[in-house]
Amino acid sequence: DGGSITGKNLLFVVFLGCMIIGIVLMCLLSKRDEKRDNASTHSSFGAMLKYIVAPLKDRRMILLIPLIAYSGLQQAFVWAVFTKSIVTPVLGISGVGGAMAIYGASDVVCSLVAGRFTSGLHSATFIVSVGAIVQAVVLFWLLLFYSPVEGLLGAAIPLFIGALWGVGDGVLNTQLSALLGLLFEDVKEAAFAQLKVWQSGAIAVIFFLSPSITLQAMLILMAASLVVSFGLFLLLTLVVEKPSSIRA
């Protein structure tokens, strides 16, 4: 506020420190099996592209892509819309950091818990359902009932919303990775490439739309995306379980 850049410099140092530590840790990763490495080597760019696109021919990936895209939408929503339209009017710009810290802490705790209890498709389905319900409750409450309130209660509401939203994000972060590993064991690299492509595209959509549409319109978009993606995810579980029941 006073024109000092000390805070920004400290933040940049933290970012650079995390990057350096991440690079060092990456260099310490153990080598993969040589035979597997050789099998996954592609002779040309065309062969590599064909390998990356291969999961799109699988209906399981088609049914999972909407949930992947929603995971990107909900991340961008909390960064671009939640901070601007819900936190700032009540807590001011100075309150954004605290609200996002609570969101991040909730995200971390939920990620650890959800990852701990993930053991297969059934557990992942249950955990994703919990996260989807939590975010659906938040979206419909914001859409139908929310209005800024003064006082201590008004200041606590954005923080509580951030904590609940972090639960959903933590669930999606862990369970999407687990599902891709379970369902696409033979093409994991290509499956995770699809994850980042659709997530990044969805994030870009929210950042492009947020300056142009109202909070109500954004909430309707998010709620519709959640309902559609979660419905297709439940259909995916039926598609995956049906062959198993037939074999049994």
Side-chain angles (χ1 to χ4, degrees), residues 188-246:
K188 285 183 180 180
E189 294 87 350
F192 279 95
Q194 294 295 329
L195 170 68
K196 301 315 296 183
V197 166
W198 292 100
Q199 272 188 342
S200 301
I203 290 171
V205 167
I206 293 297
F207 276 101
F208 279 120
L209 289 179
S210 60
S212 306
I213 64 176
T214 64
L215 175 61
Q216 294 295 314
M218 183 66 74
L219 290 171
I220 292 173
L221 172 64
M222 293 295 300
S225 301
L226 175 56
V227 170
V228 171
S229 61
F230 183 61
L232 292 175
F233 169 72
L234 294 179
L235 179 59
L236 168 66
T237 62
L238 296 177
V239 168
V240 174
E241 289 178 354
K242 187 176 180 180
S244 300
S245 62
I246 292 175

